[in-house]
Amino acid sequence: HDLSWISKIQVNHPAVLRRAEQIQARRTVKKEWQAAWLLKAVTFIDLTTLSGDDTSSNIQRLCYKAKYPIREDLLKALNMHDKGITTAAVCVYPARVCDAVKALKAAGCNIPVASVATGFPAGQTHLKTRLEEIRLAVEDGATEIDVVINRSLVLTGQWEALYDEIRQFRKACGEAHLKTILATGELGSLTNVYKASMIAMMAGSDFIKTSTGKETVNATFPVAIVMLRAIRDFFWKTGNKIGFKPAGGIRSAKDSLAWLSLVKEELGDEWLKPELFRIGASTLLSDIERQIYHHVTGRYAAYHDLPMS
Amino acid sequence: MRTGVIGLILPPTFSFLEMMWRICPALAVGCTVVALVPPASPTPLLLAQLSGELGPFPGVLNVISGPASLVPILASQPGIQKVAFCGALEEGRALRRSLAGECAELGLALGTESLLLLTDTADIDSAVEGVVDAAWSDRGPGGLRLLIQESVWDEAMRRLQERMGRLRSGRGLDGAVDMGARGAAACDLVQRFVCEAQSQGAQVFQAGDVPSERPFCPPTLVSNLPPASPCAQVEVPWPVVVASPFRTAKEALLVANGTPRGGSASVWSERLGQALELGYGLQVGTVWINAHGLRDPSVPTGGCKESGCSWHGGPDGLYEYLRPSGTPAQLSCLSKNLNYDTFGLAVPSTLPAGPEIGPSPAPPYGLFVGGRFQAPGARSSRPIRDSSGNLHGYVAEGGAKDIRGAVEAAHQAFPGWAGQSPGARAALLWALAAALERRKSTLASRLERQGAELKAAEAEVELSARRLRAWGARVQAQGHTLQVAGLRGPVLRLREPLGVLAVVCPDEWPLLAFVSLLAPALAYGNTVVMVPSAACPLLALEVCQDMATVFPAGLANVVTGDRDHLTRCLALHQDVQAMWYFGSAQGSQFVEWASAGNLKPVWASRGCPRAWDQEAEGAGPELGLRAARTKALWLPMGD
């Protein structure tokens, strides 16, 4: 790893804000192309439930919805019922990983279970317990781990220490896929976001993720632009493709299309695969289903027309 | 038009330059000056001697050398039209209280502390030189609060301590020293401050080549002083620097604006966007970007909050010694037996005069607070009578709790309103003007019931709408550039909103005066709490019905009730940034006395009526000057 990669970087806030506004205005998709893009967006969703009141019953419901995200007859109408459209993963708290694995096996589906770990969402616990959380989640059957970085290291400029911590998370994950959550709402400036992204990628993350979904400001276009530029710079320097996941605050189908076009513009079509792009969302799926219902039938669905997740 | 005789009071440790910057503009504009200087300095006496030799006007500059006890005597002399006081906070407060009601105006320039904000993208060595200029040299007037971003804390402290080791202190006229001494009293103050800071857990570092005799105190760096400790609340004495960390730029602004002092500050950052954001966000009178302590006579220097609101230098410095032509000089309204503790404290209760005859009028108006009409806390209302003695309507009886709610609502609306572009504010004022015109017949009929003729009433309504439009159009864009000799780069003179403005409207011209005061206050980005005309508040409340739909909530709040009681609540409120009072002479005296609490700028009419329909008095540039405050932003350039 080479700290000189981050020492000279400058990010200009007003210019990034202007680019973020442009993206939302200039690339709109309509009609059957919109339906196609929405189905593609479904395959990127990490269907998430991270509440204090999760129990095995709502986890089971979630896992079934992950296997059948869109109603059968709507998919048949679009001739997509045999393409194996499922969400990309299911994301839960470590204590619920067993329930999720069981429910997915019962449904006969091999979607990976992602678990959050390392003192989610604030990350203010001892390193020992944080690493232990990761190991336990992997033992329970999670094949993807979403870890949270230590924001105080970023705010005090201790980049070496941050690198070492993330390397330890990487080792604790073993074979599991590591997503590093940067909690960009708490990092203070876009330059810090870029530097933290670079450090996370150098330390071996498979994905970098914008936020936990529990901060005051979650995934916004300006931080996404900075992170995508960091991913591209890392690819140019090393040849490794690291994935990107925005999470928190993405609720409408229109937003998800804007995110897809952002990734397409900044990184290209190769990143528009579930292996390199995920969207962390829970209510997004129902809004996409409504849009698909409208596209197929021409009518707006009522709340009870579509199955709950 | 020039003011007249100026009384100038200088603090015990003043510099020759400061004195010249106060005397010269006054003389240039045509005023004559009487200066009171501490007895230990002969320089002003020499200056006065030189001025006396100059020409056929003896007595243009007069200097009295005397102790501080002469201050109130000088200030209350009948011939003096303005007192310019420069010195310590508590003395300024005491002077403000004692001059309430006297015919002299008061300009205060208090406090000597400044602020230095060091971000992680700064050139740290240059910032350390800025600290030396600010606190450990003879150029700096006082101590320094140093805010350092946490990620560069260790580097900055190390460089500071290294630099302190090379400072030399000695007799001021010795050509090889950095700093001199400022007297035994200053030295004692520093000793006390350092001892207290240590007892509260701070770390104190002192260094430098300093003689160990009495009046010399070494450069001092205090760190780890918790912000809640009593030591951190008082002003930092010279030559002490108190250093504290911050995490992000947003936190830096909160910490920096979290003191009552608002003199001058510098921002050290190599990133333009961040430097400008911090510069605009700091509530101080002067901001230097990547520099500290630059001064020039053509740039206004002053402060806000408890640093007093008088200016020297630049156009604002000249306005200090001028008053609008055509307006009469201030009259004294001093009444020696005004009891400040009981003025406006209790609301006189009004019993109904007799059984009500005639049809009952509409239900009582509430208070207009937070964008809607609310019932007052006291749940009572007062009757308003028209010119023939019949009942015109009922309005709410507002009290202290309602004032508190109104000021809170105004504060909530302030950031959004101040952040709007001038064009957006102008659009809202024009919308209100259009609404006023649609309501012309109702307003005119109410004015008629108050005794105006129909034609005059309609003309008043039209003039009000015109004034709203005029102020909307007059709203200045952000800042204009000053030319400063000797600096490469612009200096911006920004006009910023004051904050929450409390306005007590006069009894006459119930509609026109209300609108003439509301329009400039809003146009410059302030939010207002208004007490409308006591004789007929119904006109103002009619306008509120339109404001409820046109304006965002909390922008303008109108509280009716007993005028003296509401004046007392507003004048004593610590979170009202300025006050305009157009009521009685006694009320004016109280308002001036009470403003000493948070040293808010006050404009009081002292009981003199004002011709609101004349352009000069009702819509003149004086209103625009008083509705905003200036900030000088220095941007040295070069790479």
Side-chain angles (χ1 to χ4, degrees):
Chain A
H1 71 284
D2 193 356
L3 281 180
S4 72
W5 288 5
I6 60 169
S7 56
K8 285 204 271 202
I9 195 66
Q10 299 284 0
V11 177
N12 187 297
H13 194 99
V16 171
L17 288 179
R18 276 197 297 278
R19 171 72 174 138
E21 278 168 29
Q22 278 175 11
I23 298 244
Q24 295 170 54
R26 281 192 194 167
R27 301 272 186 269
T28 47
V29 195
K30 295 287 178 208
K31 299 198 185 117
E32 59 261 35
W33 296 280
Q34 189 187 61
W37 278 52
L38 286 174
L39 286 178
K40 195 142 176 76
V42 168
T43 62
F44 294 142
I45 294 182
D46 273 3
L47 205 54
T48 311
T49 175
L50 293 167
S51 315
D53 54 1
D54 285 338
T55 56
S56 53
S57 60
N58 78 321
I59 298 283
Q60 195 190 42
R61 220 170 41 222
L62 192 84
C63 292
Y64 272 102
K65 187 76 178 172
K67 172 132 165 93
Y68 303 106
I70 309 281
R71 228 169 66 177
E72 269 302 301
D73 56 337
L74 297 173
L75 283 179
K76 266 213 190 70
L78 292 170
N79 205 9
M80 296 292 282
H81 51 277
D82 49 359
K83 300 285 194 297
I85 293 194
T86 62
T87 64
V90 168
C91 186
V92 292
Y93 269 121
R96 302 267 75 87
V97 172
C98 283
D99 291 333
V101 169
K102 213 162 58 180
L104 283 173
K105 207 151 71 163
C109 159
N110 58 356
I111 304 176
V113 173
S115 161
V116 297
T118 66
F120 186 94
Q124 298 270 17
T125 52
H126 287 285
L127 186 58
K128 209 163 90 160
T129 49
R130 284 188 271 153
L131 293 170
E132 193 57 27
E133 261 187 63
I134 301 180
R135 286 185 208 111
L136 291 173
V138 173
E139 266 176 37
D140 279 347
T143 47
E144 300 187 357
I145 306 285
D146 288 14
V147 302
V148 187
I149 63 167
N150 190 342
R151 273 78 101 190
S152 59
L153 293 176
V154 175
L155 291 170
T156 48
Q158 298 177 52
W159 304 110
E160 283 279 358
L162 182 66
Y163 176 84
D164 288 330
E165 263 197 25
I166 303 181
R167 274 220 74 77
Q168 292 192 32
F169 296 158
R170 169 82 265 174
K171 252 202 334 237
C173 280
E175 289 297 318
H177 172 119
L178 176 66
K179 293 201 196 83
T180 309
I181 303 179
L182 303 179
T184 53
E186 293 177 353
L187 291 183
S189 70
L190 291 178
T191 315
N192 277 351
V193 169
Y194 184 97
K195 291 183 182 175
S197 315
M198 270 305 205
I199 298 279
M201 289 189 282
M202 291 196 283
S205 326
D206 295 301
F207 259 68
I208 49 175
K209 181 169 160 183
T210 57
S211 43
T212 59
K214 311 279 185 201
E215 286 108 38
T216 42
V217 174
N218 290 305
T220 55
F221 287 107
V223 291
I225 290 173
V226 173
M227 287 172 71
L228 290 172
R229 287 176 183 170
I231 293 178
R232 187 192 51 207
D233 288 349
F234 189 76
F235 173 56
W236 284 351
K237 284 193 166 77
T238 63
N240 291 335
K241 289 187 186 163
I242 308 290
F244 174 67
K245 176 175 170 181
I250 306 177
R251 279 179 208 102
S252 72
K254 194 157 156 233
D255 282 342
S256 68
L257 294 178
W259 282 98
L260 258 68
S261 57
L262 174 64
V263 173
K264 191 180 163 82
E265 288 270 317
E266 290 280 326
L267 290 175
D269 285 343
E270 305 124 43
W271 258 266
L272 282 178
K273 306 196 292 261
E275 291 84 42
L276 286 175
F277 180 60
R278 299 284 178 83
I279 302 180
S282 43
T283 47
L284 177 62
L285 188 52
S286 43
D287 196 52
I288 292 186
E289 214 178 345
R290 305 192 111 68
Q291 295 296 325
I292 304 251
Y293 183 97
H294 173 71
H295 178 259
V296 169
T297 63
R299 300 189 300 269
Y300 288 103
Y303 166 68
H304 52 255
D305 277 329
L306 300 164
M308 250 179 100
S309 63
Chain B
M1 198 163 105
R2 67 193 176 285
T3 304
V5 178
I6 312 286
L8 178 64
I9 301 165
L10 292 171
T13 56
F14 65 93
S15 70
F16 182 70
L17 209 52
E18 271 178 39
M19 175 183 71
M20 292 304 277
W21 275 350
R22 292 190 160 79
I23 293 179
C24 295
L27 295 179
V29 176
C31 305
T32 53
V33 177
V34 176
L36 176 68
V37 299
S41 39
T43 331
L45 293 165
L46 293 170
L47 189 66
Q49 186 177 27
L50 283 175
S51 83
E53 290 166 7
L54 269 181
F57 298 100
V60 161
L61 171 63
N62 310 284
V63 174
I64 307 172
S65 197
S69 53
L70 287 181
V71 169
I73 304 177
L74 174 65
S76 47
Q77 290 295 310
I80 292 207
Q81 265 90 53
K82 183 173 176 115
V83 176
F85 177 82
C86 179
L89 177 64
E90 285 310 321
E91 287 161 30
R93 274 218 169 98
L95 190 62
R96 171 76 270 177
R97 292 204 174 102
S98 63
L99 271 187
E102 303 271 0
C103 75
E105 285 176 36
L106 182 63
L108 294 167
L110 306 169
T112 52
E113 188 189 272
S114 53
L115 177 82
L116 196 145
L117 216 131
L118 216 170
T119 64
D120 59 354
T121 54
D123 175 355
I124 302 184
D125 288 306
S126 298
V128 166
E129 289 303 319
V131 174
V132 171
D133 269 342
W136 298 320
S137 71
D138 280 330
R139 286 184 295 281
L144 183 73
R145 277 175 71 219
L146 178 60
L147 295 179
I148 307 179
Q149 193 148 17
E150 222 174 322
S151 45
V152 292
W153 176 265
D154 292 326
E155 284 229 15
M157 293 301 270
R158 180 178 177 194
R159 281 162 215 246
L160 273 170
Q161 288 169 354
E162 172 85 25
R163 183 72 177 90
M164 281 164 85
R166 299 204 209 289
L167 292 171
R168 304 187 64 215
S169 173
R171 284 189 61 237
L173 289 176
D174 180 351
V177 300
D178 295 305
M179 35 191 264
R182 293 200 185 172
C187 196
D188 289 335
L189 192 60
V190 173
Q191 286 286 56
R192 276 202 306 273
F193 185 88
V194 165
C195 289
E196 259 202 67
Q198 275 177 324
S199 72
Q200 284 155 20
Q203 287 172 344
V204 175
F205 179 83
Q206 291 180 322
D209 182 7
V210 180
S212 47
E213 292 108 48
R214 234 352 254 328
F216 292 104
C217 31
T220 312
L221 178 62
V222 176
S223 55
N224 286 344
L225 186 65
S229 66
C231 223
Q233 317 280 339
V234 299
E235 203 177 56
V236 179
W238 182 89
V240 180
V241 172
V242 176
S244 349
F246 64 89
R247 292 172 298 168
T248 59
K250 288 188 186 45
E251 199 184 22
L253 276 182
L254 288 175
V255 174
N257 288 334
T259 60
R261 295 176 279 283
S264 55
S266 65
V267 174
W268 292 80
S269 162
E270 288 298 308
R271 295 172 60 200
L272 180 65
Q274 186 188 51
L276 286 177
E277 177 141 31
L278 290 171
Y280 274 64
L282 285 169
Q283 288 169 8
V284 289
T286 307
V287 177
W288 299 283
I289 308 281
N290 291 329
H292 198 108
L294 305 176
R295 289 192 205 281
D296 191 272
S298 58
V299 175
T301 310
C304 63
K305 296 195 283 193
E306 280 187 9
S307 292
C309 52
S310 87
W311 291 82
H312 62 269
D316 302 81
L318 288 181
Y319 282 126
E320 286 282 307
Y321 303 116
L322 296 171
R323 59 164 205 276
S325 45
T327 54
Q330 278 210 116
L331 297 175
S332 167
C333 59
L334 181 62
S335 95
K336 295 242 184 296
N337 49 5
L338 177 62
N339 189 340
Y340 295 116
D341 294 324
T342 60
F343 176 86
L345 190 57
V347 178
S349 56
T350 44
L351 293 170
E356 298 289 341
I357 332 162
S360 76
Y365 280 93
L367 308 168
F368 185 68
V369 171
R372 56 191 184 87
F373 284 93
Q374 298 178 6
R379 298 276 188 270
S380 65
S381 38
R382 53 170 45 202
I384 300 294
R385 308 218 163 259
D386 65 15
S387 59
S388 41
N390 301 328
L391 190 61
H392 198 166
Y394 284 98
V395 296
E397 186 77 48
K401 249 174 49 171
D402 306 303
I403 292 288
R404 195 184 76 190
V407 174
E408 263 178 42
H411 267 292
Q412 274 192 333
F414 177 68
W417 182 240
Q420 295 254 17
S421 67
R425 290 188 224 138
L428 278 182
L429 288 175
W430 279 59
L432 185 64
L436 224 63
E437 287 186 332
R438 282 197 295 272
R439 213 177 254 274
K440 186 152 91 166
S441 49
T442 332
L443 293 169
S445 70
R446 283 208 190 264
L447 279 170
E448 250 190 311
R449 276 189 73 174
Q450 290 299 119
E453 306 235 327
L454 183 59
K455 278 263 179 287
E458 290 185 345
E460 189 175 336
V461 177
E462 276 170 25
L463 185 56
S464 307
R466 236 189 3 255
R467 289 255 167 97
L468 278 170
R469 291 210 172 91
W471 279 110
R474 219 182 285 184
V475 167
Q476 302 288 326
Q478 290 268 41
H480 66 265
T481 324
L482 301 165
Q483 294 287 49
V484 170
L487 178 79
R488 278 193 73 218
V491 177
L492 299 181
R493 175 179 171 256
L494 305 173
R495 296 285 289 162
E496 297 193 331
L498 296 162
V500 173
L501 192 52
V503 181
V504 176
C505 298
D507 277 339
E508 67 271 13
W509 295 101
L511 177 65
L512 185 60
F514 178 80
V515 169
S516 302
L517 291 167
L518 179 75
L522 290 182
Y524 280 92
N526 305 296
T527 50
V528 290
V529 174
M530 308 203 50
V531 175
S533 148
C536 182
L538 297 168
L539 275 303
L541 292 167
E542 288 276 340
V543 179
C544 289
Q545 292 184 23
D546 288 311
M547 291 205 281
T549 44
V550 170
F551 282 170
L555 192 58
N557 305 282
V558 175
V559 179
T560 50
D562 180 59
R563 187 175 68 191
D564 284 342
H565 180 60
L566 295 176
T567 304
R568 184 192 181 87
C569 300
L570 285 170
L572 288 174
H573 202 298
Q574 291 282 101
D575 215 3
V576 167
Q577 273 72 46
M579 185 150 181
W580 294 351
Y581 181 81
F582 292 95
S584 63
Q586 280 208 337
S588 304
Q589 187 176 343
F590 180 80
V591 162
E592 290 180 359
W593 178 87
S595 74
N598 68 342
L599 291 175
K600 50 168 93 57
V602 158
W603 184 21
S605 67
R606 305 228 170 138
C608 305
R610 209 174 157 90
W612 291 100
D613 51 340
Q614 306 296 322
E615 270 307 298
E617 297 194 12
E622 186 183 12
L623 286 164
L625 277 178
R626 288 192 188 263
R629 65 179 164 87
T630 306
K631 175 190 277 184
L633 186 64
W634 293 69
L635 294 160
M637 76 183 208
D639 192 23

